[in-house]
């Protein structure tokens, strides 16, 4: 059965709403009312807009904590689309995304998963760290990424045609666990990609000030520390300190933790367990805040 997506998809019937027992669940809950703060790093806003205008599936590539999730939140707000986000992990199955039959006192009923909900409603669906999900999950999204723009609910014997406003966005960290897990070429080549890096220092300083609530001199020191730490990537560190961790360090400082202790908590301890590396990182911190 081919089911056309509704033109006005703001009302989702209860059997199509994941995990919520209300009589009528509105996709409006996935709308972003207030502008998420996002400082552009390059021309990624225009690139996303162009990809969305053509409804091209989009991959955001880059290290963890560099702003990919914030960016997609900002873009969903800009484009006026609801945003359905799924954080994938190694237990994420195709059913988790697509949906499943459930049983309650009334009997058996179908419950759409978040991807199906987004496809029906014309939302942007953001699959964060999709490489973590099981392979059947990745294969299930393939028909949504080409001209078919459809999603097969095999167990329900239904083919969902995606709403014209639907877009699929995935994030992908090329460095992380690449030797253990990687997306297949047959999946990668279904997406256009925007490459993310940590923001340039002047932009990152503004982000840390805004998000962490610290003065410019503190933010400048934190970004300076991150610059040194990022140079250690591949020399004993898998990844340097992310913008997220810089924001955490700033937040702790704004809450009254001394800068060296805050850096230890947010920038040093989370990213290494190796005693020599910890010592090297602590000396980077004291060279800025000592
Ligand atoms: P990712 O999805 O890449 O792991 P996030 O989007 O969660 O990273 O970014 C982590 C945090 O860093 C955000 O919550 C935000 O505080 C901050 N951040 C990173 N880049 C930006 C940016 N360009 N503009 C505003 N905030 C940013």
């Amino acid at each position: 059965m081919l089911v056309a997506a509704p033109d006005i998809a703001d009302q989702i019937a209860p059997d199509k709403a994941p995990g919520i027992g209300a009589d009528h669940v509105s996709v409006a809950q996935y709308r972003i009312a207030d502008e998420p703060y996002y400082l552009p790093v390059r021309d990624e806003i225009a690139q996303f807009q162009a990809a969305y205008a053509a409804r091209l599936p989009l991959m955001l590539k880059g290290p963890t904590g560099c702003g990919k999730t914030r960016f997609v939140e900002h873009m969903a707000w800009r484009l006026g689309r609801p945003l359905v986000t799924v954080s994938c992990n190694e237990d994420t199955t195709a059913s988790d995304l697509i949906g499943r039959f459930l049983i309650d006192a009334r009997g058996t009923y179908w419950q759409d998963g978040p991807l199906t909900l987004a496809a029906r409603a014309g939302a942007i669906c953001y699959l964060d760290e999709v490489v973590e999900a099981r392979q059947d999950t990745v294969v299930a999204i393939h028909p949504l990424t080409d001209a078919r723009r459809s999603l097969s609910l095999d167990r329900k014997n239904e083919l969902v045609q995606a709403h014209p406003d639907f877009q699929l966005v995935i994030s992908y960290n090329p460095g992380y666990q690449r030797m253990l897990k990687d997306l297949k070429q047959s999946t990668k080549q279904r997406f256009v990609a925007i490459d993310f890096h940590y923001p340039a220092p002047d932009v990152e300083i503004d982000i840390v000030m805004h998000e962490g609530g610290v003065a410019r001199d503190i933010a400048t020191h934190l970004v300076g520390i991150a610059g040194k730490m990022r140079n250690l990537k591949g020399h004993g560190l898998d990844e340097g300190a992310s913008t997220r961790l810089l924001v955490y360090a700033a937040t702790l400082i704004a809450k009254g933790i001394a800068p060296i202790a805050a850096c230890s908590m947010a920038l040093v301890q989370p990213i290494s367990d190796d005693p020599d590396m910890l010592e090297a990182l602590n000396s980077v911190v004291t060279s800025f805040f000592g």
Side-chain angles (χ1 to χ4, degrees), residues 228-270:
K228 300 271 185 219
M229 290 173 76
R230 288 168 189 166
N231 288 337
L232 294 171
K233 185 180 169 189
H235 302 281
L237 274 190
D238 293 338
E239 292 215 343
S242 63
T243 308
R244 180 190 296 121
L245 288 183
L246 295 184
V247 170
Y248 286 172
T251 304
L252 290 170
I253 294 169
K255 293 279 179 211
I257 302 292
I260 290 181
C263 289
S264 173
M265 287 171 71
L267 301 181
V268 175
Q269 295 296 338

Side-chain angles (χ1 to χ4, degrees), residues 60-109:
L60 306 180
K61 278 174 81 169
T64 184
C66 72
K68 301 183 295 297
T69 301
R70 179 64 64 88
F71 175 59
V72 81
E73 289 167 355
H74 179 84
M75 291 310 300
W77 170 83
R78 237 175 213 266
L79 294 164
R81 301 316 310 156
L83 176 67
V84 179
T85 298
V86 184
S87 296
C88 300
N89 60 54
E90 66 269 24
D91 295 326
T92 305
T93 63
S95 300
D96 292 330
L97 295 186
I98 290 171
R100 51 171 58 91
F101 282 104
L102 296 176
I103 302 172
D104 69 4
R106 292 168 296 173
T108 306
Y109 66 100

Side-chain angles (χ1 to χ4, degrees), residues 145-176:
T145 59
D146 54 35
R148 290 172 284 176
R149 282 178 58 88
S150 62
L151 186 60
S152 175
L153 314 185
D154 290 343
R155 291 189 189 158
K156 202 169 174 240
N157 196 23
E158 179 182 341
L159 189 67
V160 176
Q161 202 61 47
H163 186 286
D165 293 341
F166 168 78
Q167 188 193 25
L168 184 63
V169 180
I170 63 172
S171 77
Y172 171 64
N173 180 349
Y176 177 65

